[in-house]
């Protein structure tokens, strides 16, 4: 594979990643909404943690360092929330919403 082909492949993969990220964030936002509303058990926080971890690790790789950074913060936030064993309150709700919005905004800038 030539350097040009490799560059085009990387650009395509980055564009594909950026295109799917808003949908992933929307799913995370819906999951968070349902956890806060007590429609889902707190154990579902681990799914948010897993997805945040994935974005944290892959965002910068695909040219979205802002998404990676915000997802890393969300990952740490979810770890602390899970460790507390408490349901999220209004303060936690605002923090999570802000971090999810930061990921969404970083994806939109690509």
């Amino acid at each position: 594979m030539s350097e040009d082909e490799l560059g085009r492949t990387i650009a395509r993969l980055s564009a594909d990643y950026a295109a799917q990220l808003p949908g992933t964030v929307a799913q995370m936002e819906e999951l968070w909404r349902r956890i806060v509303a007590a429609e889902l058990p707190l154990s579902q926080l681990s799914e948010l943690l897993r997805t945040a971890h994935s974005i944290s690790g892959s965002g910068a790789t695909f040219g979205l360092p802002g998404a990676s950074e915000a997802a890393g913060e969300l990952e740490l936030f979810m770890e602390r929330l899970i460790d507390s064993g408490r349901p999220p309150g209004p303060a936690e709700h605002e923090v999570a919403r802000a971090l999810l919005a930061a990921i969404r905004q970083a994806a939109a800038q690509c």
Side-chain angles (χ1 to χ4, degrees), residues 79-93:
E79 285 175 348
R80 289 191 302 272
L81 188 57
I82 290 167
D83 289 346
S84 79
R86 298 181 290 109
E92 290 86 5
H93 182 62

Side-chain angles (χ1 to χ4, degrees), residues 19 28 32 39 55 60 66 74 78 82 84 86 88-89 91 103 105:
M28 293 171 74
W32 176 251
E39 295 173 10
I55 295 169
L74 181 61
M78 286 298 145
I82 290 167
S84 79
R86 298 181 290 109
I103 298 169
Q105 182 178 12

Side-chain angles (χ1 to χ4, degrees), residues 29-84:
E29 290 170 328
E30 177 62 14
L31 183 58
W32 176 251
R33 185 198 64 76
R34 294 187 67 202
I35 291 168
V36 169
E39 295 173 10
L40 292 174
L42 290 178
S43 61
Q44 289 297 304
L45 289 171
S46 63
E47 180 62 22
L48 283 172
L49 172 67
R50 184 196 63 74
T51 305
H53 176 78
S54 177
I55 295 169
S56 177
S58 61
T61 300
F62 290 107
L64 297 168
S68 185
E69 183 178 328
E73 291 179 36
L74 181 61
E75 179 183 6
L76 293 174
F77 174 75
M78 286 298 145
E79 285 175 348
R80 289 191 302 272
L81 188 57
I82 290 167
D83 289 346
S84 79

